[in-house]
Amino acid sequence: MKRRTFVRSSLEAAAGLAVVSRASSLWAAGTPVRQSATSPSASSAVQRYASAVQKMKALPATDPRNWQNQAKIHDNFCPHTNWYFLPWHRAYLFFFEQICQDVLGDASFRLPYWNWSAGNSIPQPFLDRSSPLFDSTRTRTSVPPEVVAQGVITRIVSSNALIDLFSGATSTGDQRQGSNQGLLESGPHNGVHASILGDMGNFMSPLDPVFWLHHCNIDRIWASWSKGQGHTAPTAPLWANHVLTQFYDSSTKQQVKPKASLMAGGKWLVAYDSYEQSSAAPHVVPRAMQEHMMMTPPTKSAGRATARVRTLAGQSTASADVAVGVGTKIPVQITGDLRAFVGGIASPAALGVAQQKQAHLVIEDVPAPASPTTSLRVFINCKSPSLQTSLTDPTYVGTISFFGMGHGAMAEMKATTFSLNITDVLRRALESAGYVPNSPVEVGLVAVDLSNPGRVSQREVIRPGRIQIVALGS
Ligand code: C2O
């Protein structure tokens, strides 16, 4: 089997961040676990998966377990750009895995996952044209390292801000209400969809058998984060009591709507062979603050309880066109001393640890790019951001991609609001000599075509809405 070597990203190397824990034997011997598709011991799981896919594709269209019917569940109900994103996809994986077990007659079957940070090409068995795992609509079979680099993942599992994992809170129980996207959704999640495209480029993406391995890895990142101190799922009733609509339970042959709060544990939290490690020293995040680290878009949060821990540092007064391949700077006017936004917070002495504020950049209402592979590299106070600016530059925040834009059922997804944790980058910028309070922060945006990173087009532009810098933490 020919395996491509993963190009270790310079970002990761520069950050010197820890890698995945290997071969941890956290599970009791014999308990089936979801394994990395490229690990030698997973070859049987991959083969069984191929056979399950073949069987599901052969089921009649009247059978809810049929391959197309499973993908339609996603098209009809999947939540994106809000905090139901993770629990909904966890339930979706659970019931899909159960159908695989059912058609295989093998209750020990667990889905393999695709750890794109360790190998950014679609696992080899999925590239075999004669395999049920093949999808002829893919336009690419690998993902640029910048969207899946180990450093990106380590930052996410180390985060103390719920929004970085779960994306933004909704204001109602509407499962498809657009809020905003956090680091996990806008970065690796969207980046993988936007790179592979074909079926993976839209809400029928579960038609591509690799979709399920992609989402297992997203789910594994949530499971990894959950192992961190103070890292618990939201408890806000709007999240916890939400009934996730809706799945087919092949064991009871019923349509089911489990509650979101259930997804944080029990049978829904399936074991993995390996988890991501957090790089940060453990933080204890006070419960109340943790709840509020799920911010809503500024326009929707007025008068809500979040004001107590959510402070606006400043915002842009004008936007600009960001052309593909070209760097653009948008100033954010600041009132006050930004250093107060990234400092430590004295925590109750009993806890004995410092709680840190989290600064977020909120880029509002970014319209869908003309080309679905166009993404945005984001910088803070970079002198001249361009395609050539190194991703190891200390001013680089990350790369955000688009997914699901313009889906008919989601009017609100014509434009997306992104929330990026900029705590570390902003602190570095402020530590550099000569910071003067009240001076603007320059947000650098470079539109990059992931399928052709050198492409320059003055005609293809993205014009974001307002940009804000907010602090989370009282
Ligand atoms: Cu609901 Cu990655 O898709």
Side-chain angles (χ1 to χ4, degrees), residues 111-197:
L111 288 166
Y113 62 88
W114 172 24
N115 181 357
W116 6 257
S117 309
N120 63 336
S121 290
I122 292 180
Q124 204 64 42
F126 291 74
L127 303 178
D128 172 358
R129 297 190 151 269
S130 64
S131 165
L133 303 177
F134 185 72
D135 184 315
S136 62
T137 68
R138 297 170 190 146
T139 62
R140 271 176 69 106
T141 57
S142 69
V143 183
E146 71 184 272
V147 300
V148 294
Q150 185 61 51
V152 172
I153 308 308
T154 303
R155 244 174 96 205
I156 292 169
V157 300
S158 308
S159 173
N160 289 317
L162 279 175
I163 188 167
D164 293 343
L165 274 286
F166 288 83
S167 293
T170 53
S171 59
T172 71
D174 174 1
Q175 193 167 281
R176 287 188 144 179
Q177 186 186 49
S179 174
N180 55 72
Q181 299 193 351
L183 292 179
L184 178 57
E185 187 175 2
S186 67
H189 172 265
N190 291 0
V192 170
H193 281 283
S195 300
I196 296 170
L197 293 180

Side-chain angles (χ1 to χ4, degrees), residues 210-406:
V210 88
F211 167 94
W212 302 92
L213 279 75
H214 171 45
H215 270 276
C216 270
N217 202 38
I218 295 288
D219 189 76
R220 188 180 67 91
I221 290 170
W222 177 17
S224 305
W225 174 85
S226 301
K227 293 180 177 292
Q229 206 178 359
H231 288 181
T232 51
T235 55
L238 194 57
W239 186 87
N241 298 333
H242 178 74
V243 290
L244 300 163
T245 309
Q246 78 186 20
F247 311 94
Y248 178 71
D249 182 343
S250 59
S251 71
T252 60
K253 301 190 166 52
Q254 300 290 318
Q255 298 292 327
V256 287
K257 302 178 179 184
K259 262 193 191 181
S261 60
L262 293 174
M263 296 304 138
K267 66 176 182 181
W268 311 96
L269 181 56
V270 178
Y272 288 91
D273 63 352
S274 170
Y275 293 90
E276 300 291 324
Q277 300 285 306
S278 157
S279 68
H283 284 259
V284 172
V285 180
R287 188 68 240 169
M289 184 181 293
Q290 186 59 249
E291 281 305 303
H292 290 300
M293 284 183 168
M294 191 100 225
M295 65 185 174
T296 52
T299 47
K300 293 175 187 163
S301 65
R304 291 164 62 97
T306 49
R308 191 165 60 82
V309 287
R310 185 184 176 287
T311 321
L312 177 67
Q315 58 193 27
S316 60
T317 52
S319 189
D321 285 345
V322 183
V324 168
V326 180
T328 305
K329 293 194 286 186
I330 300 178
V332 172
Q333 307 304 324
I334 300 294
T335 313
D337 189 338
L338 269 182
R339 286 170 295 196
F341 276 66
V342 292
I345 300 168
S347 66
L351 297 177
V353 287
Q355 172 57 46
Q356 193 184 86
K357 288 193 185 184
Q358 306 277 317
H360 279 74
L361 183 71
V362 183
I363 308 176
E364 295 180 343
D365 301 327
V366 189
S371 147
T373 47
T374 297
S375 297
L376 286 173
R377 290 184 182 153
V378 182
F379 300 83
I380 293 289
N381 283 359
C382 179
K383 284 207 175 55
S384 51
S386 76
L387 271 189
Q388 281 67 47
T389 309
S390 164
L391 301 182
T392 61
D393 195 276
T395 64
Y396 174 66
V397 173
T399 301
I400 54 182
S401 304
F402 299 83
F403 173 63
M405 306 286 290

